[in-house]
Amino acid sequence: MATVNDLRDSIATSLRDTSTAAKTKVVTAINWARRWVQAEYPWSWLDLGVTGIRTLGPSSYTAVTVTSGSATVTVDSNDAGQLQVTTDLTGGPKPIYPFITFGNSARFYRITARAYAAPTSTLTITPAFIGTSASDQTAKIFFREYEMPSDFAYPVAFCFEDGEVMDPTAIDEHWYIAPNPTVSTGKPSRYCLRMRNRITAVLDPIPDATYGISIEYRIALSDVVAGGSEQSLIVPSRWHLVLDDLALWRLRRDDKNDTRWPEHERLGREGLARMIAEELTIGHSTLPVAKDPRSRMGSRRLERASLDRGT
C-alpha cells in the first residue's frame, strides 16, 4: 500500500462499507494511527527540518516598582517596550515566558505572560515578590525558553555556530522553576523540551548574551485528507499493516457491535514493537527494546485474513 487512498480503500473493504461517509471516518482513523505511531519513537524515516535560535541577552529596566507579597510589577513608561521583543522577532523560534531579577538579587521570577504584542506598563510575576517593597528599582529580563516550529516532532541535534553540541536533559525543576537562587546565567550547555500549546526548548544556563544555535529536528506528520491527490503516508510501506491494524482497532472499538477490535489492538501493538526493534537494530536510538518483537509479516497476514473473514 503506497498511498492514503490505497489504505483507506483497503480498510473500508475490510469493514464492508465503502460509502463516502465510511471512507471519511476511515481517513480520520488513519490520521489517529499515524499520530500514535509518531508519538512512539523518534523514527529515522521522518523528514528532517532545520531551524535556529538567536538567543537574546538580558534586557534592562531602569525603574520598576515592586511590592512585598504582590505579583504585580509596575514599569516606568520609558521602559514599557522592553518585552515587546518577544513577538517582534521573525525568521526563527521566538522567546516566551521570560524571567526577571530585581536590583542585585540573584533570585529569578517568571513573567507569567507568554508574550507582549505591545508595550506594557505592568508585569505579572510568579511567585509574588519576595523582599522589601521599593520604587525606582532596577531589573533585568532574561530569555531562556523558545518556541519550536509548529512541525517539530523530535530533536536530532542542537549545535552552536562553532559546532559545539548542546546536551539534552530531562526537565529539572531545580533549574527551571523560579524563584531559585541557584539558577545561573552564561552560555547555554544543555536544553530540555517542554510541551505547551506547542513544543518549547528551555536553555540552561540562562543565556547572558546573543548566541546562535542551529537545530536539526524530525518533522511531525501532518494529517492527510480523504480523496484528492494520491498522498504518501510517509510511514514506510512495510509498516502500513501496522497503520491498518491501529485504524481498525479505533473503528471497530467505536462500533459497539464489533468484538474484533482487541485483536487489532494486539496486532497493532506488536507491529509497533517490531518497528522499534528495527530502528534499534540499525542504530538510530538507544531507547529500550520493546518486548516480544518476534512475529513476522507472513504470519501477520494470515492473522489479518482470519480477522477479515470474521473468524
Side-chain angles (χ1 to χ4, degrees):
M1 302 175 196
T3 69
V4 175
N5 289 347
D6 292 335
L7 184 59
R8 177 203 63 192
D9 294 345
S10 172
I11 293 173
T13 300
S14 297
L15 296 170
R16 298 181 175 88
D17 186 351
T18 57
S19 66
T20 300
K23 288 184 177 181
T24 298
K25 290 182 178 180
V26 168
V27 171
T28 298
I30 290 172
N31 283 324
W32 178 84
R34 292 168 80 244
R35 287 192 293 270
W36 181 303
V37 170
Q38 177 187 287
E40 288 294 309
Y41 200 86
W43 307 103
S44 61
W45 39 261
L46 289 172
D47 291 335
L48 286 172
V50 177
T51 187
I53 294 174
R54 179 66 60 177
T55 66
L56 298 174
S59 178
S60 297
Y61 281 133
T62 57
V64 301
T65 298
V66 290
T67 303
S68 181
S70 173
T72 300
V73 178
T74 304
V75 178
D76 185 274
S77 59
N78 293 325
D79 291 334
Q82 291 285 29
L83 276 180
Q84 195 173 357
V85 69
T86 59
T87 55
D88 284 347
L89 291 181
T90 58
K94 296 176 174 58
I96 60 173
Y97 297 112
F99 281 63
I100 190 169
T101 61
F102 301 102
N104 296 321
S105 173
R107 188 178 294 276
F108 285 80
Y109 298 81
R110 185 166 65 86
I111 297 173
T112 59
R114 179 175 177 278
Y116 289 88
T120 181
S121 59
T122 60
L123 308 174
T124 302
I125 60 173
T126 184
F129 181 68
I130 302 170
T132 304
S133 301
S135 58
D136 295 329
Q137 179 76 270
T138 59
K140 282 187 176 181
I141 305 166
F142 295 85
F143 303 91
R144 76 177 315 177
E145 186 169 4
Y146 292 78
E147 281 189 330
M148 294 294 96
S150 59
D151 63 355
F152 186 101
Y154 297 100
V156 176
F158 279 52
C159 300
F160 288 103
E161 293 170 330
D162 61 5
E164 181 183 353
V165 178
M166 295 180 66
D167 294 325
T169 183
I171 291 177
D172 180 345
E173 301 298 329
H174 293 292
W175 64 264
Y176 179 73
I177 300 299
N180 184 357
T182 65
V183 172
S184 60
T185 62
K187 182 180 181 180
S189 60
R190 60 178 182 162
Y191 69 92
C192 72
L193 298 177
R194 304 190 81 214
M195 175 58 79
R196 296 182 181 273
N197 294 328
R198 60 201 266 183
I199 296 173
T200 66
V202 184
L203 309 179
D204 183 67
I206 297 175
D208 63 348
T210 298
Y211 300 99
I213 302 172
S214 176
I215 301 170
E216 188 175 11
Y217 64 96
R218 295 290 178 186
I219 295 175
L221 296 173
S222 57
D223 281 355
V224 296
V225 297
S229 61
E230 294 289 305
Q231 302 163 86
S232 170
L233 288 159
I234 305 299
V235 178
S237 58
R238 63 188 178 279
W239 300 120
H240 286 185
L241 283 173
V242 178
L243 294 179
D244 183 294
D245 271 316
L246 292 174
L248 281 167
W249 169 23
R250 169 72 178 266
L251 291 162
R252 284 183 158 146
R253 185 190 61 187
D254 291 346
D255 181 353
K256 306 303 181 183
N257 296 318
D258 194 327
T259 60
R260 287 172 287 179
W261 65 265
E263 275 300 293
H264 289 294
E265 177 186 6
R266 178 182 67 82
L267 293 170
R269 291 184 183 278
E270 287 182 355
L272 280 170
R274 292 193 300 273
M275 292 175 70
I276 293 172
E278 178 185 272
E279 290 279 311
L280 290 166
T281 299
I282 59 181
H284 281 293
S285 183
T286 56
L287 293 178
V289 178
K291 295 181 179 178
D292 198 20
R294 294 171 295 179
S295 343
R296 294 290 181 265
M297 294 306 285
S299 59
R300 163 69 187 76
R301 289 180 187 278
L302 289 175
E303 290 178 286
R304 170 60 201 284
S306 175
L307 282 170
D308 285 345
R309 290 194 300 271
T311 59

